PDB file of all heavy atoms in Angstrom:
ATOM      1  N   LEU A1291       7.619  70.316  -5.024  1.00  0.00           N
ATOM      2  CA  LEU A1291       7.470  69.232  -4.070  1.00  0.00           C
ATOM      3  C   LEU A1291       7.660  69.755  -2.657  1.00  0.00           C
ATOM      4  O   LEU A1291       8.492  70.622  -2.416  1.00  0.00           O
ATOM      5  CB  LEU A1291       8.507  68.132  -4.341  1.00  0.00           C
ATOM      6  CG  LEU A1291       8.418  67.414  -5.677  1.00  0.00           C
ATOM      7  CD1 LEU A1291       9.590  66.457  -5.842  1.00  0.00           C
ATOM      8  CD2 LEU A1291       7.103  66.669  -5.787  1.00  0.00           C
ATOM      9  N   TYR A1292       6.880  69.199  -1.726  1.00  0.00           N
ATOM     10  CA  TYR A1292       6.971  69.574  -0.321  1.00  0.00           C
ATOM     11  C   TYR A1292       7.387  68.368   0.505  1.00  0.00           C
ATOM     12  O   TYR A1292       7.027  67.234   0.202  1.00  0.00           O
ATOM     13  CB  TYR A1292       5.617  70.069   0.203  1.00  0.00           C
ATOM     14  CG  TYR A1292       5.073  71.282  -0.507  1.00  0.00           C
ATOM     15  CD1 TYR A1292       3.918  71.196  -1.266  1.00  0.00           C
ATOM     16  CD2 TYR A1292       5.707  72.505  -0.409  1.00  0.00           C
ATOM     17  CE1 TYR A1292       3.406  72.303  -1.909  1.00  0.00           C
ATOM     18  CE2 TYR A1292       5.199  73.622  -1.051  1.00  0.00           C
ATOM     19  CZ  TYR A1292       4.055  73.516  -1.793  1.00  0.00           C
ATOM     20  OH  TYR A1292       3.543  74.618  -2.429  1.00  0.00           O
ATOM     21  N   SER A1293       8.108  68.636   1.577  1.00  0.00           N
ATOM     22  CA  SER A1293       8.433  67.575   2.526  1.00  0.00           C
ATOM     23  C   SER A1293       7.238  67.359   3.445  1.00  0.00           C
ATOM     24  O   SER A1293       6.314  68.182   3.505  1.00  0.00           O
ATOM     25  CB  SER A1293       9.654  67.959   3.361  1.00  0.00           C
ATOM     26  OG  SER A1293       9.335  69.032   4.227  1.00  0.00           O
ATOM     27  N   VAL A1294       7.243  66.269   4.176  1.00  0.00           N
ATOM     28  CA  VAL A1294       6.179  65.981   5.136  1.00  0.00           C
ATOM     29  C   VAL A1294       6.116  67.099   6.175  1.00  0.00           C
ATOM     30  O   VAL A1294       5.036  67.537   6.571  1.00  0.00           O
ATOM     31  CB  VAL A1294       6.420  64.603   5.800  1.00  0.00           C
ATOM     32  CG1 VAL A1294       5.471  64.376   6.955  1.00  0.00           C
ATOM     33  CG2 VAL A1294       6.287  63.502   4.777  1.00  0.00           C
ATOM     34  N   GLU A1295       7.276  67.586   6.602  1.00  0.00           N
ATOM     35  CA  GLU A1295       7.333  68.663   7.591  1.00  0.00           C
ATOM     36  C   GLU A1295       6.705  69.946   7.053  1.00  0.00           C
ATOM     37  O   GLU A1295       5.972  70.637   7.772  1.00  0.00           O
ATOM     38  CB  GLU A1295       8.787  68.925   8.019  1.00  0.00           C
ATOM     39  CG  GLU A1295       9.410  67.797   8.814  1.00  0.00           C
ATOM     40  CD  GLU A1295       9.901  66.622   7.949  1.00  0.00           C
ATOM     41  OE1 GLU A1295       9.967  66.752   6.701  1.00  0.00           O
ATOM     42  OE2 GLU A1295      10.186  65.563   8.535  1.00  0.00           O
ATOM     43  N   GLN A1296       6.969  70.273   5.798  1.00  0.00           N
ATOM     44  CA  GLN A1296       6.391  71.475   5.202  1.00  0.00           C
ATOM     45  C   GLN A1296       4.870  71.364   5.091  1.00  0.00           C
ATOM     46  O   GLN A1296       4.152  72.326   5.365  1.00  0.00           O
ATOM     47  CB  GLN A1296       6.992  71.726   3.815  1.00  0.00           C
ATOM     48  CG  GLN A1296       8.435  72.180   3.850  1.00  0.00           C
ATOM     49  CD  GLN A1296       9.052  72.226   2.467  1.00  0.00           C
ATOM     50  OE1 GLN A1296       8.862  71.316   1.653  1.00  0.00           O
ATOM     51  NE2 GLN A1296       9.805  73.283   2.200  1.00  0.00           N
ATOM     52  N   VAL A1297       4.383  70.197   4.699  1.00  0.00           N
ATOM     53  CA  VAL A1297       2.937  69.989   4.588  1.00  0.00           C
ATOM     54  C   VAL A1297       2.291  70.078   5.972  1.00  0.00           C
ATOM     55  O   VAL A1297       1.248  70.713   6.143  1.00  0.00           O
ATOM     56  CB  VAL A1297       2.623  68.636   3.903  1.00  0.00           C
ATOM     57  CG1 VAL A1297       1.143  68.309   3.978  1.00  0.00           C
ATOM     58  CG2 VAL A1297       3.093  68.665   2.455  1.00  0.00           C
ATOM     59  N   ALA A1298       2.921  69.456   6.973  1.00  0.00           N
ATOM     60  CA  ALA A1298       2.389  69.522   8.333  1.00  0.00           C
ATOM     61  C   ALA A1298       2.316  70.966   8.807  1.00  0.00           C
ATOM     62  O   ALA A1298       1.318  71.387   9.411  1.00  0.00           O
ATOM     63  CB  ALA A1298       3.266  68.687   9.278  1.00  0.00           C
ATOM     64  N   ASP A1299       3.353  71.746   8.514  1.00  0.00           N
ATOM     65  CA  ASP A1299       3.367  73.151   8.911  1.00  0.00           C
ATOM     66  C   ASP A1299       2.275  73.936   8.201  1.00  0.00           C
ATOM     67  O   ASP A1299       1.564  74.729   8.811  1.00  0.00           O
ATOM     68  CB  ASP A1299       4.743  73.749   8.610  1.00  0.00           C
ATOM     69  CG  ASP A1299       4.873  75.166   9.121  1.00  0.00           C
ATOM     70  OD1 ASP A1299       4.580  75.386  10.324  1.00  0.00           O
ATOM     71  OD2 ASP A1299       5.254  76.054   8.332  1.00  0.00           O
ATOM     72  N   ARG A1300       2.108  73.704   6.911  1.00  0.00           N
ATOM     73  CA  ARG A1300       1.077  74.420   6.138  1.00  0.00           C
ATOM     74  C   ARG A1300      -0.332  74.100   6.623  1.00  0.00           C
ATOM     75  O   ARG A1300      -1.206  74.958   6.628  1.00  0.00           O
ATOM     76  CB  ARG A1300       1.171  74.065   4.655  1.00  0.00           C
ATOM     77  CG  ARG A1300       2.300  74.726   3.943  1.00  0.00           C
ATOM     78  CD  ARG A1300       2.320  74.281   2.483  1.00  0.00           C
ATOM     79  NE  ARG A1300       3.448  74.854   1.809  1.00  0.00           N
ATOM     80  CZ  ARG A1300       3.381  75.977   1.090  1.00  0.00           C
ATOM     81  NH1 ARG A1300       2.261  76.603   0.962  1.00  0.00           N
ATOM     82  NH2 ARG A1300       4.455  76.440   0.506  1.00  0.00           N
ATOM     83  N   LEU A1301      -0.559  72.831   7.011  1.00  0.00           N
ATOM     84  CA  LEU A1301      -1.902  72.418   7.421  1.00  0.00           C
ATOM     85  C   LEU A1301      -2.127  72.537   8.918  1.00  0.00           C
ATOM     86  O   LEU A1301      -3.241  72.310   9.396  1.00  0.00           O
ATOM     87  CB  LEU A1301      -2.163  70.971   6.975  1.00  0.00           C
ATOM     88  CG  LEU A1301      -2.109  70.710   5.463  1.00  0.00           C
ATOM     89  CD1 LEU A1301      -2.360  69.252   5.167  1.00  0.00           C
ATOM     90  CD2 LEU A1301      -3.087  71.598   4.725  1.00  0.00           C
ATOM     91  N   GLY A1302      -1.078  72.846   9.666  1.00  0.00           N
ATOM     92  CA  GLY A1302      -1.222  72.962  11.107  1.00  0.00           C
ATOM     93  C   GLY A1302      -1.445  71.618  11.781  1.00  0.00           C
ATOM     94  O   GLY A1302      -2.155  71.525  12.776  1.00  0.00           O
ATOM     95  N   LEU A1303      -0.840  70.583  11.223  1.00  0.00           N
ATOM     96  CA  LEU A1303      -0.991  69.234  11.753  1.00  0.00           C
ATOM     97  C   LEU A1303       0.366  68.700  12.180  1.00  0.00           C
ATOM     98  O   LEU A1303       1.410  69.257  11.838  1.00  0.00           O
ATOM     99  CB  LEU A1303      -1.589  68.306  10.691  1.00  0.00           C
ATOM    100  CG  LEU A1303      -2.999  68.641  10.225  1.00  0.00           C
ATOM    101  CD1 LEU A1303      -3.379  67.766   9.041  1.00  0.00           C
ATOM    102  CD2 LEU A1303      -3.984  68.478  11.349  1.00  0.00           C
ATOM    103  N   HIS A1304       0.348  67.613  12.917  1.00  0.00           N
ATOM    104  CA  HIS A1304       1.580  66.978  13.357  1.00  0.00           C
ATOM    105  C   HIS A1304       2.180  66.185  12.195  1.00  0.00           C
ATOM    106  O   HIS A1304       1.455  65.684  11.330  1.00  0.00           O
ATOM    107  CB  HIS A1304       1.295  66.037  14.533  1.00  0.00           C
ATOM    108  CG  HIS A1304       2.531  65.652  15.282  1.00  0.00           C
ATOM    109  ND1 HIS A1304       3.332  64.624  14.872  1.00  0.00           N
ATOM    110  CD2 HIS A1304       3.093  66.175  16.393  1.00  0.00           C
ATOM    111  CE1 HIS A1304       4.350  64.515  15.709  1.00  0.00           C
ATOM    112  NE2 HIS A1304       4.231  65.449  16.636  1.00  0.00           N
ATOM    113  N   VAL A1305       3.499  66.076  12.169  1.00  0.00           N
ATOM    114  CA  VAL A1305       4.201  65.359  11.110  1.00  0.00           C
ATOM    115  C   VAL A1305       3.728  63.903  11.036  1.00  0.00           C
ATOM    116  O   VAL A1305       3.529  63.362   9.942  1.00  0.00           O
ATOM    117  CB  VAL A1305       5.734  65.424  11.355  1.00  0.00           C
ATOM    118  CG1 VAL A1305       6.479  64.552  10.371  1.00  0.00           C
ATOM    119  CG2 VAL A1305       6.211  66.857  11.259  1.00  0.00           C
ATOM    120  N   ARG A1306       3.503  63.274  12.193  1.00  0.00           N
ATOM    121  CA  ARG A1306       3.035  61.878  12.195  1.00  0.00           C
ATOM    122  C   ARG A1306       1.669  61.750  11.530  1.00  0.00           C
ATOM    123  O   ARG A1306       1.390  60.750  10.874  1.00  0.00           O
ATOM    124  CB  ARG A1306       2.978  61.340  13.620  1.00  0.00           C
ATOM    125  CG  ARG A1306       4.335  60.812  14.075  1.00  0.00           C
ATOM    126  CD  ARG A1306       4.212  60.174  15.414  1.00  0.00           C
ATOM    127  NE  ARG A1306       4.396  61.248  16.396  1.00  0.00           N
ATOM    128  CZ  ARG A1306       4.063  61.210  17.661  1.00  0.00           C
ATOM    129  NH1 ARG A1306       3.503  60.143  18.162  1.00  0.00           N
ATOM    130  NH2 ARG A1306       4.286  62.218  18.454  1.00  0.00           N
ATOM    131  N   THR A1307       0.817  62.748  11.705  1.00  0.00           N
ATOM    132  CA  THR A1307      -0.502  62.712  11.070  1.00  0.00           C
ATOM    133  C   THR A1307      -0.360  62.709   9.552  1.00  0.00           C
ATOM    134  O   THR A1307      -1.018  61.927   8.862  1.00  0.00           O
ATOM    135  CB  THR A1307      -1.338  63.921  11.524  1.00  0.00           C
ATOM    136  OG1 THR A1307      -1.427  63.928  12.940  1.00  0.00           O
ATOM    137  CG2 THR A1307      -2.725  63.893  10.909  1.00  0.00           C
ATOM    138  N   ILE A1308       0.528  63.547   9.031  1.00  0.00           N
ATOM    139  CA  ILE A1308       0.753  63.602   7.585  1.00  0.00           C
ATOM    140  C   ILE A1308       1.323  62.277   7.092  1.00  0.00           C
ATOM    141  O   ILE A1308       0.894  61.738   6.073  1.00  0.00           O
ATOM    142  CB  ILE A1308       1.682  64.776   7.215  1.00  0.00           C
ATOM    143  CG1 ILE A1308       1.071  66.114   7.658  1.00  0.00           C
ATOM    144  CG2 ILE A1308       1.983  64.777   5.723  1.00  0.00           C
ATOM    145  CD1 ILE A1308      -0.277  66.426   7.057  1.00  0.00           C
ATOM    146  N   ARG A1309       2.287  61.721   7.828  1.00  0.00           N
ATOM    147  CA  ARG A1309       2.856  60.422   7.427  1.00  0.00           C
ATOM    148  C   ARG A1309       1.781  59.336   7.412  1.00  0.00           C
ATOM    149  O   ARG A1309       1.757  58.482   6.518  1.00  0.00           O
ATOM    150  CB  ARG A1309       3.986  60.022   8.369  1.00  0.00           C
ATOM    151  CG  ARG A1309       5.264  60.768   8.104  1.00  0.00           C
ATOM    152  CD  ARG A1309       6.440  60.157   8.863  1.00  0.00           C
ATOM    153  NE  ARG A1309       7.586  61.021   8.741  1.00  0.00           N
ATOM    154  CZ  ARG A1309       8.139  61.696   9.750  1.00  0.00           C
ATOM    155  NH1 ARG A1309       7.662  61.567  10.972  1.00  0.00           N
ATOM    156  NH2 ARG A1309       9.176  62.464   9.548  1.00  0.00           N
ATOM    157  N   ASN A1310       0.891  59.364   8.400  1.00  0.00           N
ATOM    158  CA  ASN A1310      -0.203  58.384   8.424  1.00  0.00           C
ATOM    159  C   ASN A1310      -1.124  58.562   7.225  1.00  0.00           C
ATOM    160  O   ASN A1310      -1.581  57.578   6.638  1.00  0.00           O
ATOM    161  CB  ASN A1310      -0.985  58.482   9.730  1.00  0.00           C
ATOM    162  CG  ASN A1310      -0.215  57.939  10.905  1.00  0.00           C
ATOM    163  OD1 ASN A1310       0.689  57.136  10.751  1.00  0.00           O
ATOM    164  ND2 ASN A1310      -0.565  58.388  12.099  1.00  0.00           N
ATOM    165  N   TYR A1311      -1.423  59.818   6.862  1.00  0.00           N
ATOM    166  CA  TYR A1311      -2.246  60.073   5.676  1.00  0.00           C
ATOM    167  C   TYR A1311      -1.578  59.486   4.426  1.00  0.00           C
ATOM    168  O   TYR A1311      -2.240  58.910   3.581  1.00  0.00           O
ATOM    169  CB  TYR A1311      -2.479  61.565   5.476  1.00  0.00           C
ATOM    170  CG  TYR A1311      -3.412  62.210   6.463  1.00  0.00           C
ATOM    171  CD1 TYR A1311      -3.384  63.592   6.675  1.00  0.00           C
ATOM    172  CD2 TYR A1311      -4.339  61.482   7.199  1.00  0.00           C
ATOM    173  CE1 TYR A1311      -4.238  64.202   7.573  1.00  0.00           C
ATOM    174  CE2 TYR A1311      -5.194  62.081   8.093  1.00  0.00           C
ATOM    175  CZ  TYR A1311      -5.139  63.446   8.277  1.00  0.00           C
ATOM    176  OH  TYR A1311      -5.988  64.053   9.162  1.00  0.00           O
ATOM    177  N   VAL A1312      -0.262  59.654   4.338  1.00  0.00           N
ATOM    178  CA  VAL A1312       0.475  59.120   3.177  1.00  0.00           C
ATOM    179  C   VAL A1312       0.433  57.592   3.182  1.00  0.00           C
ATOM    180  O   VAL A1312       0.127  56.971   2.171  1.00  0.00           O
ATOM    181  CB  VAL A1312       1.928  59.644   3.179  1.00  0.00           C
ATOM    182  CG1 VAL A1312       2.762  58.911   2.142  1.00  0.00           C
ATOM    183  CG2 VAL A1312       1.957  61.156   2.934  1.00  0.00           C
ATOM    184  N   ARG A1313       0.722  56.992   4.320  1.00  0.00           N
ATOM    185  CA  ARG A1313       0.737  55.528   4.408  1.00  0.00           C
ATOM    186  C   ARG A1313      -0.631  54.926   4.149  1.00  0.00           C
ATOM    187  O   ARG A1313      -0.744  53.833   3.589  1.00  0.00           O
ATOM    188  CB  ARG A1313       1.251  55.093   5.778  1.00  0.00           C
ATOM    189  CG  ARG A1313       2.736  55.329   5.936  1.00  0.00           C
ATOM    190  CD  ARG A1313       3.254  54.821   7.265  1.00  0.00           C
ATOM    191  NE  ARG A1313       4.624  55.252   7.437  1.00  0.00           N
ATOM    192  CZ  ARG A1313       5.060  55.945   8.471  1.00  0.00           C
ATOM    193  NH1 ARG A1313       4.258  56.278   9.459  1.00  0.00           N
ATOM    194  NH2 ARG A1313       6.326  56.300   8.549  1.00  0.00           N
ATOM    195  N   ASP A1314      -1.708  55.631   4.589  1.00  0.00           N
ATOM    196  CA  ASP A1314      -3.068  55.145   4.379  1.00  0.00           C
ATOM    197  C   ASP A1314      -3.559  55.379   2.958  1.00  0.00           C
ATOM    198  O   ASP A1314      -4.639  54.932   2.595  1.00  0.00           O
ATOM    199  CB  ASP A1314      -4.041  55.822   5.347  1.00  0.00           C
ATOM    200  CG  ASP A1314      -3.780  55.445   6.795  1.00  0.00           C
ATOM    201  OD1 ASP A1314      -3.075  54.457   7.040  1.00  0.00           O
ATOM    202  OD2 ASP A1314      -4.294  56.167   7.680  1.00  0.00           O
ATOM    203  N   GLY A1315      -2.784  56.134   2.173  1.00  0.00           N
ATOM    204  CA  GLY A1315      -3.185  56.430   0.803  1.00  0.00           C
ATOM    205  C   GLY A1315      -4.132  57.606   0.680  1.00  0.00           C
ATOM    206  O   GLY A1315      -4.646  57.878  -0.398  1.00  0.00           O
ATOM    207  N   ARG A1316      -4.374  58.318   1.776  1.00  0.00           N
ATOM    208  CA  ARG A1316      -5.276  59.481   1.732  1.00  0.00           C
ATOM    209  C   ARG A1316      -4.597  60.682   1.096  1.00  0.00           C
ATOM    210  O   ARG A1316      -5.261  61.541   0.515  1.00  0.00           O
ATOM    211  CB  ARG A1316      -5.748  59.831   3.142  1.00  0.00           C
ATOM    212  CG  ARG A1316      -6.632  58.742   3.735  1.00  0.00           C
ATOM    213  CD  ARG A1316      -6.898  58.924   5.195  1.00  0.00           C
ATOM    214  NE  ARG A1316      -7.609  60.141   5.498  1.00  0.00           N
ATOM    215  CZ  ARG A1316      -7.889  60.540   6.724  1.00  0.00           C
ATOM    216  NH1 ARG A1316      -7.530  59.814   7.761  1.00  0.00           N
ATOM    217  NH2 ARG A1316      -8.540  61.662   6.925  1.00  0.00           N
ATOM    218  N   LEU A1317      -3.272  60.758   1.209  1.00  0.00           N
ATOM    219  CA  LEU A1317      -2.484  61.838   0.615  1.00  0.00           C
ATOM    220  C   LEU A1317      -1.425  61.201  -0.271  1.00  0.00           C
ATOM    221  O   LEU A1317      -0.600  60.413   0.192  1.00  0.00           O
ATOM    222  CB  LEU A1317      -1.831  62.687   1.712  1.00  0.00           C
ATOM    223  CG  LEU A1317      -0.876  63.792   1.274  1.00  0.00           C
ATOM    224  CD1 LEU A1317      -1.586  64.791   0.356  1.00  0.00           C
ATOM    225  CD2 LEU A1317      -0.308  64.513   2.484  1.00  0.00           C
ATOM    226  N   LYS A1318      -1.462  61.532  -1.558  1.00  0.00           N
ATOM    227  CA  LYS A1318      -0.523  60.950  -2.513  1.00  0.00           C
ATOM    228  C   LYS A1318       0.857  61.553  -2.291  1.00  0.00           C
ATOM    229  O   LYS A1318       1.005  62.763  -2.128  1.00  0.00           O
ATOM    230  CB  LYS A1318      -1.010  61.226  -3.926  1.00  0.00           C
ATOM    231  CG  LYS A1318      -0.224  60.500  -4.984  1.00  0.00           C
ATOM    232  CD  LYS A1318      -0.837  60.734  -6.343  1.00  0.00           C
ATOM    233  CE  LYS A1318       0.026  60.106  -7.412  1.00  0.00           C
ATOM    234  NZ  LYS A1318      -0.448  60.459  -8.736  1.00  0.00           N
ATOM    235  N   ALA A1319       1.882  60.694  -2.285  1.00  0.00           N
ATOM    236  CA  ALA A1319       3.257  61.140  -2.095  1.00  0.00           C
ATOM    237  C   ALA A1319       4.194  60.198  -2.821  1.00  0.00           C
ATOM    238  O   ALA A1319       3.836  59.068  -3.161  1.00  0.00           O
ATOM    239  CB  ALA A1319       3.603  61.189  -0.609  1.00  0.00           C
ATOM    240  N   VAL A1320       5.405  60.684  -3.030  1.00  0.00           N
ATOM    241  CA  VAL A1320       6.452  59.893  -3.664  1.00  0.00           C
ATOM    242  C   VAL A1320       7.552  59.689  -2.642  1.00  0.00           C
ATOM    243  O   VAL A1320       7.935  60.624  -1.932  1.00  0.00           O
ATOM    244  CB  VAL A1320       7.016  60.638  -4.901  1.00  0.00           C
ATOM    245  CG1 VAL A1320       8.173  59.887  -5.507  1.00  0.00           C
ATOM    246  CG2 VAL A1320       5.933  60.881  -5.915  1.00  0.00           C
ATOM    247  N   ARG A1321       8.040  58.469  -2.565  1.00  0.00           N
ATOM    248  CA  ARG A1321       9.130  58.183  -1.631  1.00  0.00           C
ATOM    249  C   ARG A1321      10.447  58.371  -2.365  1.00  0.00           C
ATOM    250  O   ARG A1321      10.705  57.725  -3.377  1.00  0.00           O
ATOM    251  CB  ARG A1321       8.997  56.771  -1.081  1.00  0.00           C
ATOM    252  CG  ARG A1321       9.940  56.517   0.064  1.00  0.00           C
ATOM    253  CD  ARG A1321       9.589  55.182   0.713  1.00  0.00           C
ATOM    254  NE  ARG A1321      10.524  54.906   1.765  1.00  0.00           N
ATOM    255  CZ  ARG A1321      10.236  54.992   3.060  1.00  0.00           C
ATOM    256  NH1 ARG A1321       9.022  55.324   3.418  1.00  0.00           N
ATOM    257  NH2 ARG A1321      11.133  54.738   3.958  1.00  0.00           N
ATOM    258  N   ILE A1322      11.278  59.262  -1.830  1.00  0.00           N
ATOM    259  CA  ILE A1322      12.603  59.505  -2.379  1.00  0.00           C
ATOM    260  C   ILE A1322      13.597  59.172  -1.271  1.00  0.00           C
ATOM    261  O   ILE A1322      13.677  59.888  -0.281  1.00  0.00           O
ATOM    262  CB  ILE A1322      12.765  60.964  -2.852  1.00  0.00           C
ATOM    263  CG1 ILE A1322      11.727  61.277  -3.929  1.00  0.00           C
ATOM    264  CG2 ILE A1322      14.180  61.201  -3.355  1.00  0.00           C
ATOM    265  CD1 ILE A1322      11.689  62.718  -4.359  1.00  0.00           C
ATOM    266  N   GLY A1323      14.302  58.076  -1.446  1.00  0.00           N
ATOM    267  CA  GLY A1323      15.183  57.615  -0.378  1.00  0.00           C
ATOM    268  C   GLY A1323      14.345  57.183   0.809  1.00  0.00           C
ATOM    269  O   GLY A1323      13.468  56.350   0.695  1.00  0.00           O
ATOM    270  N   LYS A1324      14.601  57.791   1.957  1.00  0.00           N
ATOM    271  CA  LYS A1324      13.843  57.472   3.168  1.00  0.00           C
ATOM    272  C   LYS A1324      12.765  58.501   3.455  1.00  0.00           C
ATOM    273  O   LYS A1324      12.130  58.454   4.493  1.00  0.00           O
ATOM    274  CB  LYS A1324      14.788  57.386   4.365  1.00  0.00           C
ATOM    275  CG  LYS A1324      15.749  56.225   4.302  1.00  0.00           C
ATOM    276  CD  LYS A1324      16.568  56.146   5.560  1.00  0.00           C
ATOM    277  CE  LYS A1324      17.492  54.950   5.532  1.00  0.00           C
ATOM    278  NZ  LYS A1324      18.264  54.834   6.765  1.00  0.00           N
ATOM    279  N   GLN A1325      12.561  59.457   2.557  1.00  0.00           N
ATOM    280  CA  GLN A1325      11.624  60.544   2.828  1.00  0.00           C
ATOM    281  C   GLN A1325      10.526  60.599   1.779  1.00  0.00           C
ATOM    282  O   GLN A1325      10.717  60.192   0.636  1.00  0.00           O
ATOM    283  CB  GLN A1325      12.380  61.866   2.855  1.00  0.00           C
ATOM    284  CG  GLN A1325      13.502  61.860   3.853  1.00  0.00           C
ATOM    285  CD  GLN A1325      13.729  63.221   4.446  1.00  0.00           C
ATOM    286  OE1 GLN A1325      13.169  64.193   4.003  1.00  0.00           O
ATOM    287  NE2 GLN A1325      14.560  63.267   5.454  1.00  0.00           N
TER     288      GLN A1325
END
């Protein structure tokens, strides 16, 4: 499992962009606590 920060770093994107992808359903993720 990767954190949003790790994925953003791997893809060269901003953390907010990755979070938006997750919220929009474009990138599948699991919410654990607040992350």
Side-chain angles (χ1 to χ4, degrees):
L1291 297 175
Y1292 300 114
S1293 68
V1294 171
E1295 292 80 12
Q1296 289 172 317
V1297 171
D1299 186 52
R1300 284 179 183 264
L1301 299 179
L1303 296 172
H1304 196 276
V1305 173
R1306 275 186 272 163
T1307 304
I1308 300 301
R1309 283 191 189 113
N1310 288 337
Y1311 288 159
V1312 170
R1313 288 183 188 124
D1314 294 344
R1316 294 169 62 184
L1317 175 59
K1318 188 175 175 187
V1320 176
R1321 190 170 177 107
I1322 300 174
K1324 293 184 178 182
Q1325 304 212 351

